[in-house]
């Protein structure tokens, strides 16, 4: 079946030590491009929407578009809600056909994070949907969430283990130094040792909650390979795809002044988006896995 939960693709990736790319989209053109390149590459795929574009069209629109485009694809595909701080909106997305939701209660104290994540988890699991939670706080700007470097906090391994046990999350996003947006440095300081400790503690004696790496845009290729080798089973790419969409639109419009053919503009964005996502799939080692 082509439409699957995040749990299914991430457990398989965690077991075989590759990562599945999770790509943020804001338009159906990007969704179509992501699915087509996944089929070409024979790669599992995670399509995700941030809260603003999800609200702009409504989760029911995204759920229906996803089903229409993904239903007959020959690869497993997930529709995921990214960084949602609102428990009730998570539930609405579950009802609308999302196959995974991320409740991001990481700004709250531990107990409240557990309570909210557990509530979303119980609801989602009762409807056949899986859940991602976050522990520690990832810095940078993601949609409506802004976290300065001073306010960011790394994930503690022992706390991560009790978080997974108390909440029942299917996948965990531990804060290990990656960030949203572009990195200020070409070689950002990542805490590989921390990822290794968390991964061993949680998944060392059997996979319980595969690791999610946020902030993929701009990471050096070597760092990406290392994160995957250490257990990163889902890697998020958002900022890069926003730039591909805007830059390829400007490029097309600059070259075709007076040419009022919106379909050709869409084709240009579609083509460039496929190229960008395809390169990530090769880097993450998920091409050819289906
Ligand atoms: Zn993120």
């Amino acid at each position: 079946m082509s439409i699957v939960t995040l749990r299914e693709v991430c457990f398989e990736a965690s077991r075989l030590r590759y990562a599945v790319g999770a790509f943020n989209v804001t338009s159906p053109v990007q969704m179509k491009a992501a699915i087509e390149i996944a089929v070409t590459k024979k790669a599992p795929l995670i399509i995700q929407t941030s809260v603003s574009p999800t609200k702009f069209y409504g989760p029911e629109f995204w759920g229906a578009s996803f089903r229409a485009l993904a239903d007959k694809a020959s690869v497993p595909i997930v529709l995921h809600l990214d960084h949602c701080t609102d428990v009730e909106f998570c539930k609405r997305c579950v009802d609308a056909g999302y196959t995974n939701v991320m409740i991001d209660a990481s700004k709250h104290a531990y107990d409240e994070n557990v309570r909210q994540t557990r509530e979303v988890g119980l609801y989602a699991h009762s409807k056949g949907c899986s859940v991602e939670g976050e522990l520690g706080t990832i810095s940078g700007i993601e949609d409506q969430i802004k976290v300065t470097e001073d306010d960011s906090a790394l994930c503690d391994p022992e706390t991560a283990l009790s978080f997974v046990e108390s909440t029942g999350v299917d996948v965990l996003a531990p804060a290990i130094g990656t960030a949203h947006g572009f990195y200020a440095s070409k070689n950002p300081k990542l805490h590989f040792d921390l990822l290794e400790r968390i991964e061993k503690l949680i998944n060392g004696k059997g996979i319980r909650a595969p690791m999610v790496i946020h902030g993929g845009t701009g990471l050096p290729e070597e760092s990406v390979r290392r994160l995957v080798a250490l257990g990163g089973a889902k890697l998020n790419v958002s900022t890069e795809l926003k730039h591909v969409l805007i830059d390829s639109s400007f490029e097309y419009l600059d070259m075709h002044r007076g040419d009022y053919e919106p379909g050709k503009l869409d084709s240009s964005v579609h083509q460039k988006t496929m190229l960008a996502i395809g390169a990530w799939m090769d880097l993450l080692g998920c091409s050819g896995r289906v």
Side-chain angles (χ1 to χ4, degrees), residues 48 82-83 102 132 134 138 142 180 213-215 236:
Q48 50 192 29
D82 199 19
H83 286 286
M102 175 184 189
E132 174 178 339
E134 175 174 326
I138 297 165
E142 159 53 39
H180 297 124
I213 310 297
H214 284 242
N236 290 6

Side-chain angles (χ1 to χ4, degrees), residues 30-287:
Q30 292 170 301
M31 185 188 276
K32 181 174 157 64
I35 292 172
E36 286 176 12
I37 192 66
V39 169
T40 303
K41 293 276 183 187
K42 299 188 184 337
L45 168 70
I46 301 156
I47 292 171
Q48 50 192 29
T49 58
S50 298
V51 171
S52 295
T54 311
K55 286 187 170 168
F56 181 77
Y57 286 108
E60 296 75 18
F61 169 87
W62 287 110
S65 304
F66 173 69
R67 271 193 304 282
L69 290 172
D71 202 27
K72 294 201 168 49
S74 52
V75 295
I77 312 179
V78 177
L79 179 63
H80 168 71
L81 174 69
D82 199 19
H83 286 286
C84 182
T85 56
D86 177 347
V87 168
E88 293 310 313
F89 194 69
C90 284
K91 292 180 183 174
R92 186 175 154 196
C93 290
V94 171
D95 291 340
Y98 280 67
T99 61
N100 197 82
V101 291
M102 175 184 189
I103 171 71
D104 179 354
S106 61
K107 68 173 180 189
H108 296 291
Y110 176 78
D111 287 351
E112 180 61 12
N113 189 353
V114 167
R115 193 193 67 74
Q116 290 192 17
T117 306
R118 192 172 147 73
E119 182 178 341
V120 171
L122 285 171
Y123 187 82
H125 290 153
S126 76
K127 307 260 176 174
C129 175
S130 55
V131 174
E132 174 178 339
E134 175 174 326
L135 196 63
T137 40
I138 297 165
S139 70
I141 299 175
E142 159 53 39
D143 198 28
Q144 297 150 322
I145 304 171
K146 296 188 179 95
V147 180
T148 64
E149 237 172 280
D150 288 346
D151 289 334
S152 66
L154 293 173
C155 178
D156 171 67
E158 296 290 342
T159 316
L161 179 61
S162 35
F163 183 77
V164 167
E165 286 172 344
S166 312
T167 58
V169 282
D170 299 280
V171 294
L172 176 71
I176 53 151
T178 57
H180 297 124
F182 279 115
Y183 291 93
S185 149
K186 273 195 173 162
N187 213 351
K189 170 137 185 62
L190 307 182
H191 299 265
F192 296 104
D193 55 330
L194 184 59
L195 176 64
E196 191 171 13
R197 279 163 56 210
I198 298 168
E199 163 68 13
K200 275 206 180 120
L201 206 54
I202 294 176
N203 298 319
K205 293 181 193 145
I207 302 166
R208 283 194 277 188
M211 300 290 117
V212 179
I213 310 297
H214 284 242
T217 299
L219 284 178
E221 287 191 11
E222 201 38 54
S223 299
V224 172
R225 287 196 191 92
R226 207 168 151 198
L227 291 166
V228 174
L230 291 174
K234 169 181 183 250
L235 188 131
N236 290 6
V237 180
S238 176
T239 304
E240 179 178 326
L241 293 181
K242 290 179 192 163
H243 281 250
V244 167
L245 187 147
I246 302 285
D247 289 346
S248 62
S249 299
F250 272 122
E251 205 175 288
Y252 177 85
L253 293 169
D254 277 346
M255 286 167 61
H256 300 87
R257 289 282 166 123
D259 185 5
Y260 292 91
E261 297 277 4
K264 290 184 182 170
L265 174 61
D266 285 347
S267 295
S268 173
V269 171
H270 177 260
Q271 195 61 30
K272 295 281 167 55
T273 303
M274 286 212 299
L275 284 174
I277 293 179
W280 272 105
M281 287 172 162
D282 292 344
L283 176 61
L284 296 173
C286 64
S287 296

Side-chain angles (χ1 to χ4, degrees), residues 6-42:
L6 185 60
R7 180 185 173 90
E8 289 173 64
V9 294
C10 282
F11 270 61
E12 178 78 352
S14 182
R15 195 169 65 80
L16 298 175
R17 279 290 191 265
Y18 64 87
V20 184
F23 304 100
N24 286 66
V25 303
T26 54
S27 79
V29 173
Q30 292 170 301
M31 185 188 276
K32 181 174 157 64
I35 292 172
E36 286 176 12
I37 192 66
V39 169
T40 303
K41 293 276 183 187
K42 299 188 184 337

